[in-house]
Amino acid sequence: MKPSIAEEELMSPGHLACQGCSATISMRYALKGLGRETAVVLPACCWTVLAGPAPRSALGVPVLHTAFASAAAAACGVKAGLLARGDSRTQVMAWAGDGGTFDIGLQALSGAADRDEDILYVCYDNEAYMNTGIQRSGGTPQGAWTMTTPGQGGSRRPKKDLDAIVLAHHIPYFATATPAYAEDMVRKFQKARSIKGFRFIHVLSPCPPGWKSEPADSIKLSRLAVQTGLFRLYEVEGGRSRLNVPVAKRKPVGEYLRLQGRFRAMTPQEEARLQRRVDEAWSA
Amino acid sequence: MKKVLMGNHAAAVGAALARAQVVAAYPITPQTQSIELLAEMKEKGAFPGAYIAVESEHSAMAALLGAASAGARTFTATSSHGLAYMHELLHWVAGARLPVVMAEVNRALAAPWSLWTDQTDSLSQRDTGWLQFYCSTNQEILDTTIMAYKIAEAVRLPAMVVYDGFTLSHSYEPVEVPAQDAVDAFLPAYRPEQVLDTARPLAFGALVPPKEYLRLRRSMAADMARAETLIEEVGREFGEAFGRCYGVFDAYRCEDATTLLVTSGAVGSTARAAVDALRERGLAAGNLRIRAFRPFPAQALRRFLGRGVKLAVVDRNYSPGASGIFAQEIRAALYPATARPPVFGYVAGLGGGDITVELLQEIWSKVDEGKAEKTQPTWAEDAR
């Protein structure tokens, strides 16, 4: 029987990630979808460390480390440089966290998307600055505890709507993914590879130390995020949006929240408000 | 072929003749015509390289980091605030040992806003690991751009070709434009040993322990030192090929001089006129124009200045709390010398003020007559 996901492993187990890190599972699936002819650009993020110290590398594809704000711009340069060398086959993937995408890297991301550069930009969103020790980012959801939102009620502001920002750039391909839905995720990377121009994939990436969850629960959380309706799996191609994983009967958000210590201080009223917001979003 | 070119066009023509393959740039006054010309040449098919119109200078340098890591010859141009905004990536590109070449048009930094020439922008990037060359004519801008690639690629360090905003960037001068085949013979294609390549997947810039970091910086120091002699060698080779010779500095009528005006950039041309005027009055004046600021030509200066001559250093830049930056560097370079020439620092023309032939003569006379302040920089304003 032919497996539905490529067997070839382009990521070695010798990385430095924490137990239950979804950013490593996501990279593994991403490279299975993209294949060997890929170059990865990494700004400052967890992957800076977990790719392994020099001269070792956990990835079987070339990697360029770059400054925090510059993932998209450096990736554009790599693409142009490869083309100058006569290599039009290699796919260039910028792989950045939520801090490097929602916040400090947003300008370079917007510029590259606006120019419709022929690169794939992936944000693995673990919803805070996890590499520096759990500080709030624009990707942090309302009510989540972080080291910089330590008070009662956690983060006061709702999560920034990055998808809307990226989609406002009229790009040829946009998708969301999360590792519990492995086949959906790999297919999206395969599809992204087949499209020319600026492509964006938003990956929800549970983080046990930052979410204060059990390492064994990462895939469960990844699945619950979809099943509660908090994270929607969809793709937008040529301006047309398609829901990839319809959720017939949504689970209550509490099932997702209660597996995570970062939401421990949430009141029943706040939880009810979040539930209402999810219900409204899905009925719209 | 002789053409009348503004300084910005001379830089762009130099980059095109060097066959830059990837240009990433963002506009800023007074750099704009350099990138406009490349964009125009691209539109007309006269420039075959890629042109990425990025959304910031930070991204311009990041894009060149990517392109050079993939093995391309790269070019950008900026000025002042643009250079300051690039700062993080200047360190990165140098540490990555990528021979990016950049035209840097001197302009004063705010606040308050200023548009005019002042070298504090480029000099404040002195610790980033970039080679820096200061030009005094549009011909020199074009020639230095071509030579910069040859030197940068040999020592695997990036290079800045620096020239004065407006004074050179917007002034037209006759410039000898070399033929493409002659430039190709002088500057072969860029062939780096290690590039981003799926056939040989390497990781570039990954985390290193302290011992490796120190060793890498030390190898950078060795290559910077090598560059000091290489600048002279490449300058001579350029002279043989094109008839114009360049070194780490340019000495004008220095042979029997009692005091030298030490200058850089466009002031170097004015200083020649000042020296001629002083010589006509029977005074033993000379001009030493520093071309290479990084690496700083300390050895060459010690060799050249072994005779106890006095130095009047004119700085169109200032490091608050210290002094003019060339004066500092020259003092540090000469400190180990046995016959240590006295150095007198003058700060003039900040924010684009004129440094006239008359002002330079006054500065020269003050120093030569022993009336100059020795410990503090003298702020020289041209009353005219």
Side-chain angles (χ1 to χ4, degrees):
Chain A
M1 194 180 86
K2 194 177 176 290
S4 58
I5 292 175
E7 280 181 281
E8 189 182 28
E9 294 292 351
L10 289 167
M11 195 186 92
S12 86
H15 56 74
L16 301 181
C18 312
Q19 273 193 345
C21 171
S22 310
T24 43
I25 308 169
S26 300
M27 176 66 91
R28 182 170 168 232
Y29 291 157
L31 291 179
K32 280 176 181 288
L34 293 171
R36 196 169 279 281
E37 285 179 320
T38 304
V40 177
V41 174
L42 295 176
C45 61
C46 287
W47 257 96
T48 305
V49 176
L50 59 92
R56 294 170 194 86
S57 175
L59 298 182
V61 296
V63 175
L64 178 68
H65 289 271
T66 189
F68 211 167
S70 71
C76 300
V78 171
K79 186 66 193 178
L82 290 170
L83 286 172
R85 230 178 60 209
D87 175 356
S88 57
R89 294 170 61 93
T90 299
Q91 190 62 233
V92 181
M93 173 171 72
W95 181 269
D98 47 295
T101 304
F102 286 65
D103 297 346
I104 195 169
L106 188 60
Q107 175 178 302
L109 164 63
S110 172
D114 177 43
R115 297 190 300 274
D116 194 23
E117 297 275 358
D118 189 19
I119 60 165
L120 167 62
Y121 190 109
V122 179
C123 172
Y124 67 100
D125 178 9
N126 51 28
E127 303 196 314
Y129 291 87
M130 298 311 186
N131 195 36
T132 45
I134 322 167
Q135 296 84 22
R136 183 193 182 273
S137 80
T140 301
Q142 194 162 26
W145 166 91
T146 69
M147 292 293 276
T148 51
T149 52
Q152 284 298 313
S155 181
R156 291 202 183 93
R157 296 282 299 153
K159 185 182 175 94
K160 194 190 277 188
D161 190 352
L162 180 76
D163 295 6
I165 295 171
V166 174
L167 283 166
H169 290 78
H170 319 289
I171 58 172
Y173 186 68
F174 173 96
T176 61
T178 191
Y181 298 84
E183 285 166 326
D184 175 74
M185 190 166 181
V186 172
R187 181 188 65 78
K188 283 169 174 168
F189 278 90
Q190 282 168 338
K191 182 156 202 184
R193 185 173 182 109
S194 72
I195 294 169
K196 205 174 149 54
F198 190 86
R199 294 139 290 156
F200 190 96
I201 299 181
H202 181 181
V203 175
L204 182 72
S205 180
C207 165
W211 292 15
K212 304 289 171 215
S213 57
E214 286 302 318
D217 284 343
S218 290
I219 295 299
K220 195 179 194 177
L221 280 166
S222 167
R223 188 176 297 115
L224 278 171
V226 175
Q227 291 178 344
T228 54
L230 279 161
F231 190 75
R232 211 182 277 231
L233 286 175
Y234 68 109
E235 64 194 326
V236 183
E237 203 184 338
R240 266 212 297 278
S241 182
R242 197 158 62 90
L243 190 65
N244 305 116
V245 177
V247 186
K249 192 174 180 324
R250 286 189 306 280
K251 291 186 173 170
V253 293
E255 284 191 32
Y256 175 74
L257 301 177
R258 255 173 294 289
L259 288 174
Q260 303 172 59
R262 63 173 172 158
F263 294 114
R264 193 176 295 141
M266 246 187 162
T267 60
Q269 290 80 7
E270 283 164 345
E271 188 179 320
R273 201 170 60 198
L274 177 62
Q275 186 65 63
R276 265 201 312 280
R277 203 176 294 150
V278 171
D279 294 342
E280 278 164 23
W282 281 88
S283 61
Chain B
M1 195 200 337
K2 214 145 200 145
K3 281 192 171 180
V4 178
L5 296 180
M6 65 159 71
N8 281 335
H9 287 173
V13 169
L17 282 170
R19 297 191 185 275
Q21 294 165 294
V22 178
V23 174
Y26 187 78
I28 182 169
T29 301
Q31 146 270 33
T32 41
Q33 292 87 358
S34 61
I35 61 166
E36 283 171 0
L37 181 62
L38 284 168
E40 189 191 323
M41 287 168 78
K42 171 88 189 149
E43 287 285 311
K44 289 180 178 164
F47 175 65
Y51 184 96
I52 313 176
V54 286
E55 79 299 329
S56 76
E57 289 89 354
H58 193 274
S59 285
M61 196 47 69
L64 297 191
L65 162 74
S69 299
R73 186 173 277 165
T74 55
F75 180 78
T76 190
T78 194
S79 178
S80 186
H81 289 268
L83 184 70
Y85 196 36
M86 265 181 199
H87 176 75
E88 180 187 27
L89 269 304
L90 295 182
H91 278 282
W92 201 290
V93 162
R97 307 302 300 271
L98 298 169
V100 172
V101 170
M102 167 162 65
E104 202 312 286
V105 190
N106 283 138
R107 169 185 158 183
L109 281 151
W113 280 118
S114 169
L115 297 169
W116 302 284
T117 191
D118 184 312
Q119 298 169 323
T120 313
D121 59 347
S122 53
L123 291 171
S124 68
Q125 305 302 327
R126 61 180 163 176
D127 302 331
T128 55
W130 281 61
L131 306 166
Q132 288 196 9
F133 305 109
Y134 287 77
C135 303
S136 69
T137 65
N138 292 354
Q139 181 73 61
E140 195 178 350
I141 294 170
L142 188 151
D143 294 348
T144 306
T145 305
I146 295 167
M147 286 187 288
Y149 282 101
K150 187 148 182 153
I151 299 159
E153 287 168 11
V155 295
R156 290 173 298 154
L157 286 167
M160 255 180 235
V161 178
V162 186
Y163 52 93
D164 301 68
F166 296 104
T167 318
L168 289 182
S169 67
H170 286 60
S171 297
Y172 284 86
E173 290 183 339
V175 174
E176 180 65 42
V177 179
Q180 184 67 63
D181 54 353
V183 176
D184 291 343
F186 174 78
L187 180 69
Y190 176 45
R191 296 258 183 270
E193 293 159 36
Q194 295 181 325
V195 293
L196 289 164
D197 185 355
T198 54
R200 195 179 164 218
L202 301 171
F204 292 84
L207 196 69
V208 292
K211 195 183 268 184
E212 294 304 322
Y213 189 88
L214 182 120
R215 285 175 183 168
L216 288 167
R217 282 299 179 269
R218 196 169 175 174
S219 81
M220 207 164 161
D223 284 323
M224 267 287 179
R226 200 154 65 84
E228 197 180 332
T229 45
L230 196 66
I231 292 164
E232 297 276 352
E233 279 169 37
V234 170
R236 268 195 301 274
E237 199 187 318
F238 191 89
E240 283 157 21
F242 303 102
R244 294 177 299 277
C245 218
Y246 296 94
V248 287
F249 49 71
D250 176 34
Y252 180 70
R253 302 183 83 168
C254 289
E255 301 76 40
D256 59 339
T258 50
T259 295
L260 302 182
L261 281 167
V262 184
T263 57
S264 61
V267 186
S269 307
T270 321
R272 282 190 173 213
V275 165
D276 288 344
L278 289 161
R279 287 273 176 183
E280 241 165 67
R281 285 157 51 196
L283 300 164
N287 172 229
L288 188 66
R289 181 173 66 85
I290 312 282
R291 287 193 69 246
F293 177 77
R294 279 292 179 273
F296 197 75
Q299 284 190 53
L301 277 174
R302 285 196 291 271
R303 269 198 307 273
F304 185 76
L305 297 169
R307 302 158 301 129
V309 66
K310 284 194 270 192
L311 304 182
V313 181
V314 182
D315 270 301
R316 185 177 251 159
N317 60 77
Y318 180 63
S319 172
S323 67
I325 294 166
F326 275 91
Q328 281 176 49
E329 297 271 342
I330 290 166
R331 284 194 185 99
L334 297 180
Y335 189 77
T338 34
R340 199 182 301 151
V343 177
F344 303 89
Y346 281 80
V347 174
L350 299 188
D354 277 341
I355 299 178
T356 59
V357 176
E358 294 79 12
L359 181 70
L360 290 172
Q361 289 183 73
E362 283 166 23
I363 289 172
W364 185 90
S365 298
K366 270 262 164 61
V367 172
D368 197 61
E369 291 159 17
K371 292 177 190 159
E373 171 68 47
K374 196 166 179 180
T375 53
Q376 296 289 321
T378 304
W379 289 73
E381 237 177 275
D382 201 321
R384 280 162 290 268

